[in-house]
Amino acid sequence: MSRFALRVLVLEDHSFQRSLAVGMLRQLGCREVFEAADGAEALAILHEVGPVDIALCDLRMEGMDGLEFLQRVGGSRQVGSVILCSSLSADVRRSVRQIISLLGLEFLGDVGKPLCMEALEALLKKRWHAPATGQPPPAVPQVVREDEIRHALVQGQMQAYYQPKFDLRTGQVRGVEVLARWLHPLMGLLSPAAFMPLLESCGLMDELLFEQMEQALDLQCQLRHQSHALNMAFNLQAAQLANDELAPRIKALLTRHAASGAGLTFELTESGLLQAAHTSIKNLVRLRMMGCCLAIDDFGAGFSSLQRLCALPFTEIKLDAEFVRTLRHEPRCQAVIGSTLALGQALGMSVVIEGIETEEQRQQLLRLGGRTGQGYLCARPMSGAQLLQWLGQQRICA
């Protein structure tokens, strides 16, 4: 039997269910297991014994319920991860998962009831690979000076990385999303979390966009010579759309590279859509007039506006990855995906499904009518040189 040197707190008001959970955790080799009948007792235990790696948490109980407990410990670092163990309906548990994320807690999984040892063991294995309590994960390097990030842009340290969008049936690559990475001379390759907030606060998002476009259009030209005609997709923010000079600069860039607007897609999140003003809409129209495609990114993650969807000149919907992550167990997510696919077809818009990581997900999405996806099943983001090599080896996802 597996052994996990983890500290776990079981929050369950039903004595038999609590005893069952404690017994399973001890059988699986957890180092310490604590138990509480309600949230107040759980808080008292944490105060006495210190932080735990996992809280196995029921939601509905007579005393302080599980939701109130989670609100109390959110941001306190007293609980590393949360596993839900509740008989409440799937839609209620799904909403609680969103609350857990908003509280800054790591959601490890939902085992439901009755508790299954195999499912519990799988989540313990998942947590075991993360840093244990008392050993916080390495801090994301933060560059705090504006001059450093300006220097990085001038010196070409901001590198474009590419993640393929692929045909769910054949694995053929349809295009790529262009993502930013900082090749820092001292700290190595940094993800956007390390520098994007500073870029935004310094008003440097346009500089990053056009640096990415320069690199991507050069790569697109190389790909054409290798008989790969790939669309390049770039992320745009609402603030960038409000700039009158955006569309003319993109047009000039396309002219300089002898590139067609039809080879570009610009992705805007739903929150950006809701903020779209007169200038923003004008820029969207100008981009379409240049032949560019426009995508609504993370569709379904915010408060979707169907009116905006109909009124603005978008050509593509990118369905948020959260729907794929819960696809297997939640009929509502299947319904949302199926409905979005039907909506896209009715509006003449393509639908790209994000977050596909397993073959099982791909098969489910095919049965629902999905055609195009993006995710680790096909490929992780890669540099331009890696993309050229990867395509040259004719790797497919099917």
Side-chain angles (χ1 to χ4, degrees):
M1 185 61 68
S2 302
R3 296 196 63 81
F4 305 98
L6 297 167
R7 310 181 86 217
V8 183
L9 171 63
V10 177
L11 178 56
E12 168 64 65
D13 66 339
H14 193 286
S15 58
F16 174 75
Q17 295 283 355
R18 187 169 66 251
S19 175
L20 182 66
V22 169
M24 284 186 184
L25 290 164
R26 286 176 176 160
Q27 190 176 346
L28 288 168
C30 290
R31 176 163 56 96
E32 294 178 272
V33 182
F34 309 98
E35 53 182 296
D38 66 14
E41 186 178 348
L43 290 173
I45 290 172
L46 290 175
H47 180 73
E48 179 181 348
V49 305
V52 296
D53 297 291
I54 298 172
L56 179 65
C57 191
D58 190 11
L59 293 172
R60 183 167 49 192
M61 53 194 69
E62 290 299 323
M64 181 192 292
D65 62 33
L67 186 59
E68 177 66 20
F69 166 76
L70 293 172
Q71 289 177 315
R72 296 286 188 92
V73 299
S76 69
R77 301 182 69 86
Q78 290 178 295
V79 172
S81 306
V82 177
I83 298 175
L84 288 184
C85 180
S86 172
S87 59
L88 289 172
S89 62
D91 60 322
V92 174
R93 300 202 308 272
R94 183 169 57 249
S95 298
V96 172
R97 291 202 298 270
Q98 295 181 33
I99 293 172
I100 290 171
S101 297
L102 291 171
L103 290 171
L105 296 167
E106 179 194 20
F107 175 68
L108 203 57
D110 183 347
V111 291
K113 283 186 178 178
L115 189 59
C116 169
M117 182 174 285
E118 289 76 14
L120 186 57
E121 183 178 15
L123 293 178
L124 293 180
K125 286 180 179 178
K126 180 180 176 182
R127 181 60 180 85
W128 181 238
H129 292 297
T133 301
Q135 300 175 351
V140 176
Q142 294 290 332
V143 180
V144 295
R145 295 209 318 267
E146 182 177 343
D147 63 319
E148 289 183 280
I149 211 159
R150 289 187 181 276
H151 179 76
L153 285 164
V154 171
Q155 294 298 315
Q157 295 173 11
M158 293 297 177
Q159 295 293 302
Y161 265 54
Y162 308 87
Q163 186 173 30
K165 303 176 184 179
F166 64 99
D167 188 304
L168 292 175
R169 295 163 295 181
T170 67
Q172 181 181 359
V173 178
R174 295 275 187 84
V176 293
E177 180 178 0
V178 184
L179 305 165
R181 298 291 186 269
W182 185 348
L183 188 57
H184 195 283
L186 299 178
M187 292 183 282
L189 196 67
L190 304 183
S191 73
F195 58 86
M196 201 63 77
L198 182 61
L199 272 170
E200 292 181 29
S201 65
C202 294
L204 295 172
M205 293 302 294
D206 282 349
E207 283 76 0
L208 176 64
L209 170 66
F210 285 101
E211 175 60 29
Q212 285 185 306
M213 290 188 69
E214 292 280 2
Q215 295 178 37
L217 288 172
D218 283 341
L219 179 63
Q220 192 178 57
C221 181
Q222 295 179 60
L223 290 168
R224 279 199 302 270
H225 292 150
Q226 296 184 6
S227 301
H228 295 296
L230 292 188
N231 183 281
M232 301 281 178
F234 303 88
N235 291 287
L236 275 180
Q237 295 186 342
Q240 292 174 279
L241 274 178
N243 181 0
D244 264 327
E245 296 301 314
L246 177 69
R249 285 188 67 182
I250 292 174
K251 186 175 183 179
L253 189 62
L254 287 170
T255 301
R256 188 164 69 253
H257 283 266
S260 168
L264 304 184
T265 295
F266 293 96
E267 300 182 0
L268 180 70
T269 60
E270 281 189 74
S271 58
L273 278 179
L274 295 175
Q275 299 168 25
H278 170 73
T279 303
S280 304
I281 297 172
K282 184 171 63 176
N283 270 322
L284 292 176
V285 172
R286 283 179 172 173
L287 290 172
R288 281 298 308 279
M289 289 171 66
M290 282 187 261
C292 302
C293 297
L294 302 175
I296 304 172
D297 199 11
D298 297 332
F299 186 75
F303 297 96
S304 307
S305 171
L306 295 180
Q307 183 180 16
R308 286 291 196 185
L309 188 63
C310 293
L312 296 176
F314 282 80
T315 59
E316 181 181 292
I317 296 171
K318 293 194 75 179
L319 190 62
D320 186 64
E322 181 62 27
F323 293 105
V324 175
R325 281 193 280 270
T326 54
L327 175 62
R328 181 178 180 183
H329 304 291
E330 300 218 9
R332 284 192 175 193
C333 288
Q334 297 179 31
V336 168
I337 292 172
S339 298
T340 303
L341 291 167
L343 178 65
Q345 184 176 17
L347 295 176
M349 301 173 68
S350 60
V351 178
V352 177
I353 305 168
E354 298 182 279
I356 304 173
E357 298 184 355
T358 69
E359 177 62 21
E360 180 185 12
Q361 290 170 340
R362 184 179 79 94
Q363 293 294 339
Q364 286 181 291
L365 293 168
L366 279 171
R367 287 193 290 271
L368 289 169
R371 294 184 179 181
T372 307
Q374 185 176 349
Y376 289 174
L377 175 64
C378 182
R380 293 173 179 265
M382 63 189 89
S383 68
Q386 290 169 331
L387 179 64
L388 284 168
Q389 181 182 11
W390 185 78
L391 289 169
Q393 293 172 347
Q394 295 183 334
R395 294 184 184 180
I396 60 173
C397 310

